Amino acid sequence: MTVRDAISAPDAQGKPRRTTRRFPLFTRDTARPEGGGRAAPGDAPAPARQWPILTVLSAVALGLLLTAFDAFRVGTILIGAALLAGALMRWMLPSVGMLAVRSRFTDMLTYSVLGLAIVVLALMAQPGPWLEIPFLDDTLHFTVR
């Protein structure tokens, strides 16, 4: 008895290559995430095809530069806002190029949770926080005692 490898994609002639419902022992390829195609036509130059990820990375780089030049709070807020913009682009645009890493839901959740956490922590940073959450101070004093 021979066991054929279970690959679900059809071959070039359209014949299914999958002969069993089991998953293959070794993964030979990965599924492209939804929205993982080019963000611009194929004849456009490379930067134009990947403008969503370049937009997010440029904003993050600017935020890091501002942070390096002693504008810590503004720089980190910009980094968080860039991730939130990435989540928004992942939700709104049908094709986002390399900004699509996982499924649309997972990408949106990851970008938005990380972006929101960075923005909130930047707003709460000492000295002179722009955002004060009273119960957090009480919680800290209660747990340290």
Side-chain angles (χ1 to χ4, degrees):
M1 178 178 155
T2 61
V3 177
R4 295 186 210 162
D5 196 15
I7 299 174
S8 61
D11 61 9
Q13 288 78 28
K15 296 178 185 173
R17 293 187 292 175
R18 184 175 187 170
T19 57
T20 176
R21 291 181 56 99
R22 286 192 212 164
F23 289 105
L25 185 58
F26 299 104
T27 303
R28 290 196 168 83
D29 61 354
T30 56
R32 173 183 269 186
E34 30 176 310
R38 295 178 175 141
D43 58 345
R49 290 193 308 261
Q50 297 299 332
W51 69 267
I53 189 76
L54 291 175
T55 302
V56 172
L57 288 177
S58 298
V60 167
L62 181 62
L64 289 173
L65 190 65
L66 287 172
T67 303
F69 286 122
D70 262 354
F72 167 76
R73 197 176 313 266
V74 175
T76 51
I77 289 173
L78 183 60
I79 292 169
L83 288 174
L84 291 171
L88 186 66
M89 281 191 277
R90 189 68 175 100
W91 178 50
M92 300 283 290
L93 301 175
S95 184
V96 290
M98 291 175 59
L99 191 62
V101 178
R102 297 162 294 280
S103 70
R104 186 177 305 268
F105 175 78
T106 305
D107 282 343
M108 285 174 24
L109 185 69
T110 304
Y111 293 145
S112 57
V113 166
L114 290 175
L116 189 63
I118 290 172
V119 168
V120 168
L121 289 173
L123 291 173
M124 294 173 54
Q126 296 291 334
W130 292 357
L131 174 67
E132 292 185 25
I133 302 176
F135 72 88
L136 288 181
D137 192 37
D138 297 336
T139 305
L140 178 66
H141 289 304
F142 177 73
T143 57
V144 172
R145 289 184 204 177

